[in-house]
Amino acid sequence: MPTDRQRKIAQNSLLLKSFPQEIRDMVLGMSSWRTYDRGETLFLHGETAQAIHIVMDGWVKLYRIAPNGGEAVVNVFAKGESFGEAVAFRGLAYPVSAEAVTACEVMRIPSTAILEAMRKDPDIAVSVVASTFIHLHSLVSQLEQLKAQTGPQRVAEFLLELCEQESGSCEVTLPYDKFLIAGRLGMKPESLSRSFARLKPAGVRINRNHAEIKDIERLRAFSEEDPVDAWTKG
């Protein structure tokens, strides 16, 4: 059975938070929890999907290996976020691999548990569709960034997502290493370093794994500029 901490995180996740309590308890009772070391594989591209995963603690990346051997990071998930919904119900092959970015804990929900929940309460399907839509929206946003923003602008938006306030100055901790941040933003590590340097005029200073942002609104304005203007200022 889950601990109180595990139960709280799971119940507040996007996937499960709108489930009726009785259904949540059933799903939790059919689920399992496992810890992973940094670099450990959760599943590999091509394996048959039989479960949905929710991150309890730490970070998990989804990625694919390109024909040239390079790694393409598809997404990174943090505490309370789920992944694998779209393929689990149909028993399809995973289109990506999953790996622990940091030491982490992951909840594994068998697809049969969610299917049973849907039989008991058809409205459960709405929550599952909503969770899948969030993932799709995230991928669309990434594609939009790649097409319409410069590298420094993508980095600026990434930093803004880490801010817990809308204005003023703040300091944020980079959640994972710079190599992974570069992959997440569709950049090479050396391009990420150049982008951090180009953000200095926008009031950003990087100190190891921390970013000091002098003016959040100023950085947001930079991220929303016309790309040509952003490059000119860089």
Side-chain angles (χ1 to χ4, degrees), residues 13-15 51-55 60 62 74-78 80-89 127-143 184:
S13 68
L14 176 64
L15 179 64
I52 297 170
H53 299 80
I54 299 179
V55 181
V60 173
L62 302 186
V74 176
N75 214 332
V76 182
F77 294 91
E81 296 180 324
S82 60
F83 54 92
E85 296 92 334
V87 293
F89 299 117
S127 297
V128 176
V129 170
S131 181
T132 303
F133 174 78
I134 293 296
H135 299 326
L136 176 61
H137 181 72
S138 175
L139 290 175
V140 171
S141 296
Q142 289 182 47
L143 287 174
R184 171 68 177 76

PDB file of all heavy atoms in Angstrom, residues 13-15 51-55 60 62 74-78 80-89 127-143 184:
ATOM      1  N   SER A  13      -1.935  14.606  -8.778  1.00  0.00           N
ATOM      2  CA  SER A  13      -1.436  14.593 -10.149  1.00  0.00           C
ATOM      3  C   SER A  13      -2.559  14.936 -11.117  1.00  0.00           C
ATOM      4  O   SER A  13      -3.739  14.721 -10.834  1.00  0.00           O
ATOM      5  CB  SER A  13      -0.859  13.221 -10.501  1.00  0.00           C
ATOM      6  OG  SER A  13      -1.883  12.239 -10.568  1.00  0.00           O
ATOM      7  N   LEU A  14      -2.180  15.466 -12.283  1.00  0.00           N
ATOM      8  CA  LEU A  14      -3.174  15.834 -13.284  1.00  0.00           C
ATOM      9  C   LEU A  14      -4.029  14.645 -13.685  1.00  0.00           C
ATOM     10  O   LEU A  14      -5.234  14.763 -13.891  1.00  0.00           O
ATOM     11  CB  LEU A  14      -2.476  16.406 -14.525  1.00  0.00           C
ATOM     12  CG  LEU A  14      -3.372  16.750 -15.722  1.00  0.00           C
ATOM     13  CD1 LEU A  14      -4.332  17.874 -15.353  1.00  0.00           C
ATOM     14  CD2 LEU A  14      -2.522  17.142 -16.930  1.00  0.00           C
ATOM     15  N   LEU A  15      -3.418  13.472 -13.764  1.00  0.00           N
ATOM     16  CA  LEU A  15      -4.140  12.288 -14.205  1.00  0.00           C
ATOM     17  C   LEU A  15      -5.206  11.848 -13.217  1.00  0.00           C
ATOM     18  O   LEU A  15      -6.323  11.501 -13.609  1.00  0.00           O
ATOM     19  CB  LEU A  15      -3.147  11.136 -14.432  1.00  0.00           C
ATOM     20  CG  LEU A  15      -3.760   9.802 -14.874  1.00  0.00           C
ATOM     21  CD1 LEU A  15      -4.431   9.946 -16.236  1.00  0.00           C
ATOM     22  CD2 LEU A  15      -2.698   8.713 -14.906  1.00  0.00           C
ATOM     23  N   ALA A  51       1.719   0.175 -19.005  1.00  0.00           N
ATOM     24  CA  ALA A  51       1.485   0.966 -17.794  1.00  0.00           C
ATOM     25  C   ALA A  51       1.630   2.456 -18.063  1.00  0.00           C
ATOM     26  O   ALA A  51       2.262   2.875 -19.034  1.00  0.00           O
ATOM     27  CB  ALA A  51       2.453   0.544 -16.693  1.00  0.00           C
ATOM     28  N   ILE A  52       1.032   3.231 -17.181  1.00  0.00           N
ATOM     29  CA  ILE A  52       1.200   4.680 -17.131  1.00  0.00           C
ATOM     30  C   ILE A  52       2.083   4.977 -15.925  1.00  0.00           C
ATOM     31  O   ILE A  52       1.998   4.291 -14.898  1.00  0.00           O
ATOM     32  CB  ILE A  52      -0.157   5.386 -16.981  1.00  0.00           C
ATOM     33  CG1 ILE A  52      -1.032   5.096 -18.197  1.00  0.00           C
ATOM     34  CG2 ILE A  52       0.016   6.893 -16.808  1.00  0.00           C
ATOM     35  CD1 ILE A  52      -2.467   5.541 -18.020  1.00  0.00           C
ATOM     36  N   HIS A  53       2.948   5.973 -16.035  1.00  0.00           N
ATOM     37  CA  HIS A  53       3.869   6.301 -14.953  1.00  0.00           C
ATOM     38  C   HIS A  53       3.603   7.706 -14.416  1.00  0.00           C
ATOM     39  O   HIS A  53       3.302   8.624 -15.183  1.00  0.00           O
ATOM     40  CB  HIS A  53       5.320   6.216 -15.438  1.00  0.00           C
ATOM     41  CG  HIS A  53       5.713   4.854 -15.926  1.00  0.00           C
ATOM     42  ND1 HIS A  53       5.383   4.387 -17.185  1.00  0.00           N
ATOM     43  CD2 HIS A  53       6.411   3.865 -15.325  1.00  0.00           C
ATOM     44  CE1 HIS A  53       5.860   3.164 -17.333  1.00  0.00           C
ATOM     45  NE2 HIS A  53       6.488   2.831 -16.238  1.00  0.00           N
ATOM     46  N   ILE A  54       3.734   7.854 -13.113  1.00  0.00           N
ATOM     47  CA  ILE A  54       3.664   9.164 -12.464  1.00  0.00           C
ATOM     48  C   ILE A  54       4.940   9.353 -11.658  1.00  0.00           C
ATOM     49  O   ILE A  54       5.316   8.480 -10.867  1.00  0.00           O
ATOM     50  CB  ILE A  54       2.444   9.296 -11.530  1.00  0.00           C
ATOM     51  CG1 ILE A  54       1.142   9.139 -12.310  1.00  0.00           C
ATOM     52  CG2 ILE A  54       2.466  10.650 -10.817  1.00  0.00           C
ATOM     53  CD1 ILE A  54      -0.100   9.231 -11.448  1.00  0.00           C
ATOM     54  N   VAL A  55       5.617  10.479 -11.862  1.00  0.00           N
ATOM     55  CA  VAL A  55       6.851  10.762 -11.123  1.00  0.00           C
ATOM     56  C   VAL A  55       6.494  11.197  -9.702  1.00  0.00           C
ATOM     57  O   VAL A  55       5.733  12.151  -9.511  1.00  0.00           O
ATOM     58  CB  VAL A  55       7.677  11.860 -11.823  1.00  0.00           C
ATOM     59  CG1 VAL A  55       8.964  12.123 -11.043  1.00  0.00           C
ATOM     60  CG2 VAL A  55       7.993  11.457 -13.261  1.00  0.00           C
ATOM     61  N   VAL A  60      12.486  12.562 -14.816  1.00  0.00           N
ATOM     62  CA  VAL A  60      12.580  11.485 -15.797  1.00  0.00           C
ATOM     63  C   VAL A  60      12.537  12.105 -17.189  1.00  0.00           C
ATOM     64  O   VAL A  60      11.720  12.989 -17.460  1.00  0.00           O
ATOM     65  CB  VAL A  60      11.416  10.482 -15.655  1.00  0.00           C
ATOM     66  CG1 VAL A  60      11.438   9.458 -16.797  1.00  0.00           C
ATOM     67  CG2 VAL A  60      11.477   9.778 -14.301  1.00  0.00           C
ATOM     68  N   LEU A  62      12.202  11.542 -21.452  1.00  0.00           N
ATOM     69  CA  LEU A  62      11.827  10.696 -22.570  1.00  0.00           C
ATOM     70  C   LEU A  62      12.691  11.118 -23.747  1.00  0.00           C
ATOM     71  O   LEU A  62      12.836  12.308 -24.022  1.00  0.00           O
ATOM     72  CB  LEU A  62      10.349  10.871 -22.923  1.00  0.00           C
ATOM     73  CG  LEU A  62       9.322  10.576 -21.818  1.00  0.00           C
ATOM     74  CD1 LEU A  62       7.909  10.652 -22.384  1.00  0.00           C
ATOM     75  CD2 LEU A  62       9.572   9.225 -21.178  1.00  0.00           C
ATOM     76  N   VAL A  74      12.773  14.328 -25.880  1.00  0.00           N
ATOM     77  CA  VAL A  74      11.391  14.645 -26.240  1.00  0.00           C
ATOM     78  C   VAL A  74      10.718  15.458 -25.146  1.00  0.00           C
ATOM     79  O   VAL A  74      10.013  16.431 -25.413  1.00  0.00           O
ATOM     80  CB  VAL A  74      10.590  13.354 -26.510  1.00  0.00           C
ATOM     81  CG1 VAL A  74       9.121  13.674 -26.797  1.00  0.00           C
ATOM     82  CG2 VAL A  74      11.201  12.586 -27.679  1.00  0.00           C
ATOM     83  N   ASN A  75      10.937  15.058 -23.897  1.00  0.00           N
ATOM     84  CA  ASN A  75      10.329  15.793 -22.787  1.00  0.00           C
ATOM     85  C   ASN A  75      11.001  15.377 -21.485  1.00  0.00           C
ATOM     86  O   ASN A  75      11.675  14.349 -21.423  1.00  0.00           O
ATOM     87  CB  ASN A  75       8.821  15.533 -22.704  1.00  0.00           C
ATOM     88  CG  ASN A  75       8.052  16.750 -22.223  1.00  0.00           C
ATOM     89  OD1 ASN A  75       8.592  17.581 -21.493  1.00  0.00           O
ATOM     90  ND2 ASN A  75       6.806  16.876 -22.628  1.00  0.00           N
ATOM     91  N   VAL A  76      10.797  16.182 -20.457  1.00  0.00           N
ATOM     92  CA  VAL A  76      11.311  15.882 -19.128  1.00  0.00           C
ATOM     93  C   VAL A  76      10.162  16.067 -18.143  1.00  0.00           C
ATOM     94  O   VAL A  76       9.450  17.070 -18.188  1.00  0.00           O
ATOM     95  CB  VAL A  76      12.486  16.816 -18.750  1.00  0.00           C
ATOM     96  CG1 VAL A  76      13.023  16.449 -17.370  1.00  0.00           C
ATOM     97  CG2 VAL A  76      13.603  16.722 -19.784  1.00  0.00           C
ATOM     98  N   PHE A  77       9.987  15.096 -17.245  1.00  0.00           N
ATOM     99  CA  PHE A  77       8.858  15.118 -16.325  1.00  0.00           C
ATOM    100  C   PHE A  77       9.330  15.205 -14.877  1.00  0.00           C
ATOM    101  O   PHE A  77      10.323  14.576 -14.499  1.00  0.00           O
ATOM    102  CB  PHE A  77       7.991  13.876 -16.513  1.00  0.00           C
ATOM    103  CG  PHE A  77       7.316  13.821 -17.861  1.00  0.00           C
ATOM    104  CD1 PHE A  77       7.930  13.182 -18.925  1.00  0.00           C
ATOM    105  CD2 PHE A  77       6.097  14.436 -18.068  1.00  0.00           C
ATOM    106  CE1 PHE A  77       7.328  13.148 -20.175  1.00  0.00           C
ATOM    107  CE2 PHE A  77       5.489  14.407 -19.313  1.00  0.00           C
ATOM    108  CZ  PHE A  77       6.098  13.757 -20.359  1.00  0.00           C
ATOM    109  N   ALA A  78       8.584  15.984 -14.080  1.00  0.00           N
ATOM    110  CA  ALA A  78       8.916  16.200 -12.681  1.00  0.00           C
ATOM    111  C   ALA A  78       7.815  15.626 -11.787  1.00  0.00           C
ATOM    112  O   ALA A  78       6.863  15.018 -12.262  1.00  0.00           O
ATOM    113  CB  ALA A  78       9.087  17.696 -12.417  1.00  0.00           C
ATOM    114  N   GLY A  80       4.732  14.619  -9.816  1.00  0.00           N
ATOM    115  CA  GLY A  80       3.306  14.791 -10.050  1.00  0.00           C
ATOM    116  C   GLY A  80       2.893  14.690 -11.499  1.00  0.00           C
ATOM    117  O   GLY A  80       1.694  14.674 -11.799  1.00  0.00           O
ATOM    118  N   GLU A  81       3.864  14.613 -12.412  1.00  0.00           N
ATOM    119  CA  GLU A  81       3.541  14.547 -13.832  1.00  0.00           C
ATOM    120  C   GLU A  81       3.529  13.095 -14.308  1.00  0.00           C
ATOM    121  O   GLU A  81       4.303  12.260 -13.846  1.00  0.00           O
ATOM    122  CB  GLU A  81       4.540  15.363 -14.643  1.00  0.00           C
ATOM    123  CG  GLU A  81       4.489  16.848 -14.309  1.00  0.00           C
ATOM    124  CD  GLU A  81       5.472  17.672 -15.115  1.00  0.00           C
ATOM    125  OE1 GLU A  81       6.581  17.176 -15.392  1.00  0.00           O
ATOM    126  OE2 GLU A  81       5.140  18.819 -15.465  1.00  0.00           O
ATOM    127  N   SER A  82       2.623  12.805 -15.254  1.00  0.00           N
ATOM    128  CA  SER A  82       2.464  11.443 -15.755  1.00  0.00           C
ATOM    129  C   SER A  82       2.865  11.369 -17.225  1.00  0.00           C
ATOM    130  O   SER A  82       2.896  12.369 -17.932  1.00  0.00           O
ATOM    131  CB  SER A  82       1.003  10.989 -15.599  1.00  0.00           C
ATOM    132  OG  SER A  82       0.128  11.844 -16.321  1.00  0.00           O
ATOM    133  N   PHE A  83       3.145  10.149 -17.675  1.00  0.00           N
ATOM    134  CA  PHE A  83       3.461   9.944 -19.091  1.00  0.00           C
ATOM    135  C   PHE A  83       3.141   8.496 -19.473  1.00  0.00           C
ATOM    136  O   PHE A  83       3.060   7.614 -18.615  1.00  0.00           O
ATOM    137  CB  PHE A  83       4.926  10.268 -19.388  1.00  0.00           C
ATOM    138  CG  PHE A  83       5.931   9.537 -18.525  1.00  0.00           C
ATOM    139  CD1 PHE A  83       6.464   8.316 -18.934  1.00  0.00           C
ATOM    140  CD2 PHE A  83       6.343  10.063 -17.319  1.00  0.00           C
ATOM    141  CE1 PHE A  83       7.386   7.650 -18.149  1.00  0.00           C
ATOM    142  CE2 PHE A  83       7.270   9.399 -16.522  1.00  0.00           C
ATOM    143  CZ  PHE A  83       7.789   8.190 -16.939  1.00  0.00           C
ATOM    144  N   GLY A  84       2.926   8.295 -20.765  1.00  0.00           N
ATOM    145  CA  GLY A  84       2.648   6.956 -21.281  1.00  0.00           C
ATOM    146  C   GLY A  84       1.190   6.648 -21.513  1.00  0.00           C
ATOM    147  O   GLY A  84       0.842   5.540 -21.924  1.00  0.00           O
ATOM    148  N   GLU A  85       0.298   7.639 -21.275  1.00  0.00           N
ATOM    149  CA  GLU A  85      -1.137   7.370 -21.407  1.00  0.00           C
ATOM    150  C   GLU A  85      -1.533   6.926 -22.812  1.00  0.00           C
ATOM    151  O   GLU A  85      -2.307   5.981 -22.988  1.00  0.00           O
ATOM    152  CB  GLU A  85      -1.958   8.617 -21.040  1.00  0.00           C
ATOM    153  CG  GLU A  85      -1.845   9.066 -19.601  1.00  0.00           C
ATOM    154  CD  GLU A  85      -0.740  10.089 -19.399  1.00  0.00           C
ATOM    155  OE1 GLU A  85       0.221  10.092 -20.194  1.00  0.00           O
ATOM    156  OE2 GLU A  85      -0.842  10.871 -18.453  1.00  0.00           O
ATOM    157  N   ALA A  86      -1.017   7.610 -23.822  1.00  0.00           N
ATOM    158  CA  ALA A  86      -1.505   7.405 -25.187  1.00  0.00           C
ATOM    159  C   ALA A  86      -1.270   5.993 -25.703  1.00  0.00           C
ATOM    160  O   ALA A  86      -2.086   5.459 -26.455  1.00  0.00           O
ATOM    161  CB  ALA A  86      -0.846   8.422 -26.126  1.00  0.00           C
ATOM    162  N   VAL A  87      -0.165   5.375 -25.304  1.00  0.00           N
ATOM    163  CA  VAL A  87       0.158   4.053 -25.851  1.00  0.00           C
ATOM    164  C   VAL A  87      -0.235   2.907 -24.926  1.00  0.00           C
ATOM    165  O   VAL A  87      -0.422   1.773 -25.377  1.00  0.00           O
ATOM    166  CB  VAL A  87       1.664   3.945 -26.172  1.00  0.00           C
ATOM    167  CG1 VAL A  87       2.034   4.868 -27.313  1.00  0.00           C
ATOM    168  CG2 VAL A  87       2.516   4.250 -24.943  1.00  0.00           C
ATOM    169  N   ALA A  88      -0.380   3.195 -23.631  1.00  0.00           N
ATOM    170  CA  ALA A  88      -0.620   2.121 -22.666  1.00  0.00           C
ATOM    171  C   ALA A  88      -1.938   1.394 -22.898  1.00  0.00           C
ATOM    172  O   ALA A  88      -2.023   0.174 -22.757  1.00  0.00           O
ATOM    173  CB  ALA A  88      -0.576   2.686 -21.246  1.00  0.00           C
ATOM    174  N   PHE A  89      -2.978   2.137 -23.260  1.00  0.00           N
ATOM    175  CA  PHE A  89      -4.304   1.521 -23.378  1.00  0.00           C
ATOM    176  C   PHE A  89      -4.425   0.601 -24.579  1.00  0.00           C
ATOM    177  O   PHE A  89      -5.277  -0.280 -24.613  1.00  0.00           O
ATOM    178  CB  PHE A  89      -5.383   2.606 -23.453  1.00  0.00           C
ATOM    179  CG  PHE A  89      -5.426   3.466 -22.235  1.00  0.00           C
ATOM    180  CD1 PHE A  89      -5.160   4.816 -22.309  1.00  0.00           C
ATOM    181  CD2 PHE A  89      -5.693   2.920 -20.996  1.00  0.00           C
ATOM    182  CE1 PHE A  89      -5.175   5.610 -21.177  1.00  0.00           C
ATOM    183  CE2 PHE A  89      -5.706   3.694 -19.855  1.00  0.00           C
ATOM    184  CZ  PHE A  89      -5.448   5.045 -19.949  1.00  0.00           C
ATOM    185  N   SER A 127     -10.612  12.662 -17.899  1.00  0.00           N
ATOM    186  CA  SER A 127      -9.357  13.003 -17.228  1.00  0.00           C
ATOM    187  C   SER A 127      -8.157  12.469 -17.991  1.00  0.00           C
ATOM    188  O   SER A 127      -7.120  13.136 -18.105  1.00  0.00           O
ATOM    189  CB  SER A 127      -9.355  12.429 -15.803  1.00  0.00           C
ATOM    190  OG  SER A 127     -10.373  13.008 -15.023  1.00  0.00           O
ATOM    191  N   VAL A 128      -8.298  11.267 -18.538  1.00  0.00           N
ATOM    192  CA  VAL A 128      -7.210  10.662 -19.295  1.00  0.00           C
ATOM    193  C   VAL A 128      -6.952  11.450 -20.579  1.00  0.00           C
ATOM    194  O   VAL A 128      -5.808  11.724 -20.947  1.00  0.00           O
ATOM    195  CB  VAL A 128      -7.514   9.194 -19.623  1.00  0.00           C
ATOM    196  CG1 VAL A 128      -6.412   8.598 -20.498  1.00  0.00           C
ATOM    197  CG2 VAL A 128      -7.661   8.385 -18.336  1.00  0.00           C
ATOM    198  N   VAL A 129      -8.036  11.843 -21.258  1.00  0.00           N
ATOM    199  CA  VAL A 129      -7.903  12.632 -22.478  1.00  0.00           C
ATOM    200  C   VAL A 129      -7.263  13.984 -22.160  1.00  0.00           C
ATOM    201  O   VAL A 129      -6.400  14.471 -22.902  1.00  0.00           O
ATOM    202  CB  VAL A 129      -9.272  12.832 -23.155  1.00  0.00           C
ATOM    203  CG1 VAL A 129      -9.161  13.852 -24.285  1.00  0.00           C
ATOM    204  CG2 VAL A 129      -9.789  11.514 -23.709  1.00  0.00           C
ATOM    205  N   ALA A 130      -7.657  14.592 -21.046  1.00  0.00           N
ATOM    206  CA  ALA A 130      -7.094  15.890 -20.654  1.00  0.00           C
ATOM    207  C   ALA A 130      -5.594  15.779 -20.412  1.00  0.00           C
ATOM    208  O   ALA A 130      -4.811  16.644 -20.826  1.00  0.00           O
ATOM    209  CB  ALA A 130      -7.791  16.407 -19.395  1.00  0.00           C
ATOM    210  N   SER A 131      -5.186  14.706 -19.740  1.00  0.00           N
ATOM    211  CA  SER A 131      -3.760  14.503 -19.480  1.00  0.00           C
ATOM    212  C   SER A 131      -2.987  14.312 -20.781  1.00  0.00           C
ATOM    213  O   SER A 131      -1.906  14.885 -20.969  1.00  0.00           O
ATOM    214  CB  SER A 131      -3.576  13.271 -18.584  1.00  0.00           C
ATOM    215  OG  SER A 131      -2.220  13.058 -18.290  1.00  0.00           O
ATOM    216  N   THR A 132      -3.553  13.540 -21.705  1.00  0.00           N
ATOM    217  CA  THR A 132      -2.911  13.324 -23.000  1.00  0.00           C
ATOM    218  C   THR A 132      -2.832  14.626 -23.792  1.00  0.00           C
ATOM    219  O   THR A 132      -1.829  14.903 -24.463  1.00  0.00           O
ATOM    220  CB  THR A 132      -3.690  12.269 -23.813  1.00  0.00           C
ATOM    221  OG1 THR A 132      -3.780  11.062 -23.051  1.00  0.00           O
ATOM    222  CG2 THR A 132      -2.995  11.970 -25.130  1.00  0.00           C
ATOM    223  N   PHE A 133      -3.871  15.449 -23.689  1.00  0.00           N
ATOM    224  CA  PHE A 133      -3.887  16.732 -24.400  1.00  0.00           C
ATOM    225  C   PHE A 133      -2.779  17.645 -23.896  1.00  0.00           C
ATOM    226  O   PHE A 133      -2.141  18.363 -24.687  1.00  0.00           O
ATOM    227  CB  PHE A 133      -5.239  17.415 -24.229  1.00  0.00           C
ATOM    228  CG  PHE A 133      -5.284  18.810 -24.812  1.00  0.00           C
ATOM    229  CD1 PHE A 133      -5.421  18.996 -26.173  1.00  0.00           C
ATOM    230  CD2 PHE A 133      -5.155  19.923 -23.994  1.00  0.00           C
ATOM    231  CE1 PHE A 133      -5.441  20.276 -26.718  1.00  0.00           C
ATOM    232  CE2 PHE A 133      -5.176  21.203 -24.522  1.00  0.00           C
ATOM    233  CZ  PHE A 133      -5.329  21.376 -25.891  1.00  0.00           C
ATOM    234  N   ILE A 134      -2.525  17.628 -22.590  1.00  0.00           N
ATOM    235  CA  ILE A 134      -1.453  18.451 -22.026  1.00  0.00           C
ATOM    236  C   ILE A 134      -0.115  18.072 -22.643  1.00  0.00           C
ATOM    237  O   ILE A 134       0.703  18.934 -22.995  1.00  0.00           O
ATOM    238  CB  ILE A 134      -1.387  18.301 -20.494  1.00  0.00           C
ATOM    239  CG1 ILE A 134      -2.640  18.910 -19.841  1.00  0.00           C
ATOM    240  CG2 ILE A 134      -0.133  18.962 -19.942  1.00  0.00           C
ATOM    241  CD1 ILE A 134      -2.787  20.398 -20.027  1.00  0.00           C
ATOM    242  N   HIS A 135       0.121  16.773 -22.807  1.00  0.00           N
ATOM    243  CA  HIS A 135       1.370  16.328 -23.424  1.00  0.00           C
ATOM    244  C   HIS A 135       1.451  16.806 -24.872  1.00  0.00           C
ATOM    245  O   HIS A 135       2.511  17.253 -25.335  1.00  0.00           O
ATOM    246  CB  HIS A 135       1.467  14.803 -23.381  1.00  0.00           C
ATOM    247  CG  HIS A 135       1.471  14.228 -21.993  1.00  0.00           C
ATOM    248  ND1 HIS A 135       2.058  14.871 -20.932  1.00  0.00           N
ATOM    249  CD2 HIS A 135       0.960  13.076 -21.497  1.00  0.00           C
ATOM    250  CE1 HIS A 135       1.914  14.139 -19.842  1.00  0.00           C
ATOM    251  NE2 HIS A 135       1.252  13.054 -20.164  1.00  0.00           N
ATOM    252  N   LEU A 136       0.339  16.698 -25.603  1.00  0.00           N
ATOM    253  CA  LEU A 136       0.322  17.134 -26.996  1.00  0.00           C
ATOM    254  C   LEU A 136       0.577  18.629 -27.090  1.00  0.00           C
ATOM    255  O   LEU A 136       1.353  19.091 -27.932  1.00  0.00           O
ATOM    256  CB  LEU A 136      -1.025  16.790 -27.635  1.00  0.00           C
ATOM    257  CG  LEU A 136      -1.228  17.265 -29.083  1.00  0.00           C
ATOM    258  CD1 LEU A 136      -0.198  16.640 -30.008  1.00  0.00           C
ATOM    259  CD2 LEU A 136      -2.644  16.913 -29.555  1.00  0.00           C
ATOM    260  N   HIS A 137      -0.062  19.398 -26.212  1.00  0.00           N
ATOM    261  CA  HIS A 137       0.121  20.852 -26.197  1.00  0.00           C
ATOM    262  C   HIS A 137       1.589  21.201 -25.926  1.00  0.00           C
ATOM    263  O   HIS A 137       2.145  22.127 -26.533  1.00  0.00           O
ATOM    264  CB  HIS A 137      -0.769  21.483 -25.136  1.00  0.00           C
ATOM    265  CG  HIS A 137      -0.659  22.977 -25.061  1.00  0.00           C
ATOM    266  ND1 HIS A 137      -1.173  23.812 -26.018  1.00  0.00           N
ATOM    267  CD2 HIS A 137      -0.067  23.785 -24.143  1.00  0.00           C
ATOM    268  CE1 HIS A 137      -0.919  25.070 -25.704  1.00  0.00           C
ATOM    269  NE2 HIS A 137      -0.250  25.075 -24.573  1.00  0.00           N
ATOM    270  N   SER A 138       2.234  20.445 -25.028  1.00  0.00           N
ATOM    271  CA  SER A 138       3.634  20.687 -24.717  1.00  0.00           C
ATOM    272  C   SER A 138       4.511  20.454 -25.944  1.00  0.00           C
ATOM    273  O   SER A 138       5.423  21.246 -26.226  1.00  0.00           O
ATOM    274  CB  SER A 138       4.077  19.764 -23.574  1.00  0.00           C
ATOM    275  OG  SER A 138       5.459  19.897 -23.323  1.00  0.00           O
ATOM    276  N   LEU A 139       4.228  19.387 -26.690  1.00  0.00           N
ATOM    277  CA  LEU A 139       5.013  19.101 -27.890  1.00  0.00           C
ATOM    278  C   LEU A 139       4.804  20.171 -28.959  1.00  0.00           C
ATOM    279  O   LEU A 139       5.748  20.573 -29.638  1.00  0.00           O
ATOM    280  CB  LEU A 139       4.631  17.726 -28.444  1.00  0.00           C
ATOM    281  CG  LEU A 139       5.072  16.521 -27.600  1.00  0.00           C
ATOM    282  CD1 LEU A 139       4.521  15.233 -28.191  1.00  0.00           C
ATOM    283  CD2 LEU A 139       6.594  16.443 -27.518  1.00  0.00           C
ATOM    284  N   VAL A 140       3.561  20.638 -29.102  1.00  0.00           N
ATOM    285  CA  VAL A 140       3.273  21.697 -30.069  1.00  0.00           C
ATOM    286  C   VAL A 140       4.026  22.965 -29.688  1.00  0.00           C
ATOM    287  O   VAL A 140       4.582  23.665 -30.543  1.00  0.00           O
ATOM    288  CB  VAL A 140       1.757  21.961 -30.154  1.00  0.00           C
ATOM    289  CG1 VAL A 140       1.480  23.215 -30.982  1.00  0.00           C
ATOM    290  CG2 VAL A 140       1.033  20.766 -30.773  1.00  0.00           C
ATOM    291  N   SER A 141       4.056  23.266 -28.387  1.00  0.00           N
ATOM    292  CA  SER A 141       4.776  24.458 -27.917  1.00  0.00           C
ATOM    293  C   SER A 141       6.263  24.348 -28.217  1.00  0.00           C
ATOM    294  O   SER A 141       6.908  25.324 -28.615  1.00  0.00           O
ATOM    295  CB  SER A 141       4.562  24.644 -26.409  1.00  0.00           C
ATOM    296  OG  SER A 141       3.205  24.906 -26.122  1.00  0.00           O
ATOM    297  N   GLN A 142       6.819  23.137 -28.040  1.00  0.00           N
ATOM    298  CA  GLN A 142       8.237  22.941 -28.345  1.00  0.00           C
ATOM    299  C   GLN A 142       8.511  23.169 -29.825  1.00  0.00           C
ATOM    300  O   GLN A 142       9.505  23.803 -30.189  1.00  0.00           O
ATOM    301  CB  GLN A 142       8.657  21.527 -27.951  1.00  0.00           C
ATOM    302  CG  GLN A 142       8.730  21.286 -26.457  1.00  0.00           C
ATOM    303  CD  GLN A 142       9.190  19.873 -26.134  1.00  0.00           C
ATOM    304  OE1 GLN A 142      10.155  19.388 -26.697  1.00  0.00           O
ATOM    305  NE2 GLN A 142       8.493  19.219 -25.241  1.00  0.00           N
ATOM    306  N   LEU A 143       7.640  22.640 -30.674  1.00  0.00           N
ATOM    307  CA  LEU A 143       7.812  22.836 -32.116  1.00  0.00           C
ATOM    308  C   LEU A 143       7.718  24.312 -32.475  1.00  0.00           C
ATOM    309  O   LEU A 143       8.476  24.820 -33.305  1.00  0.00           O
ATOM    310  CB  LEU A 143       6.752  22.040 -32.881  1.00  0.00           C
ATOM    311  CG  LEU A 143       6.941  20.521 -32.910  1.00  0.00           C
ATOM    312  CD1 LEU A 143       5.739  19.854 -33.571  1.00  0.00           C
ATOM    313  CD2 LEU A 143       8.218  20.148 -33.658  1.00  0.00           C
ATOM    314  N   ARG A 184      16.712  19.300 -24.278  1.00  0.00           N
ATOM    315  CA  ARG A 184      15.288  19.629 -24.093  1.00  0.00           C
ATOM    316  C   ARG A 184      14.880  20.810 -24.976  1.00  0.00           C
ATOM    317  O   ARG A 184      13.742  20.877 -25.442  1.00  0.00           O
ATOM    318  CB  ARG A 184      15.046  19.948 -22.624  1.00  0.00           C
ATOM    319  CG  ARG A 184      13.682  20.525 -22.281  1.00  0.00           C
ATOM    320  CD  ARG A 184      12.578  19.516 -22.469  1.00  0.00           C
ATOM    321  NE  ARG A 184      11.315  20.078 -22.059  1.00  0.00           N
ATOM    322  CZ  ARG A 184      10.603  20.950 -22.753  1.00  0.00           C
ATOM    323  NH1 ARG A 184      11.063  21.383 -23.919  1.00  0.00           N
ATOM    324  NH2 ARG A 184       9.445  21.409 -22.308  1.00  0.00           N
TER     325      ARG A 184
END
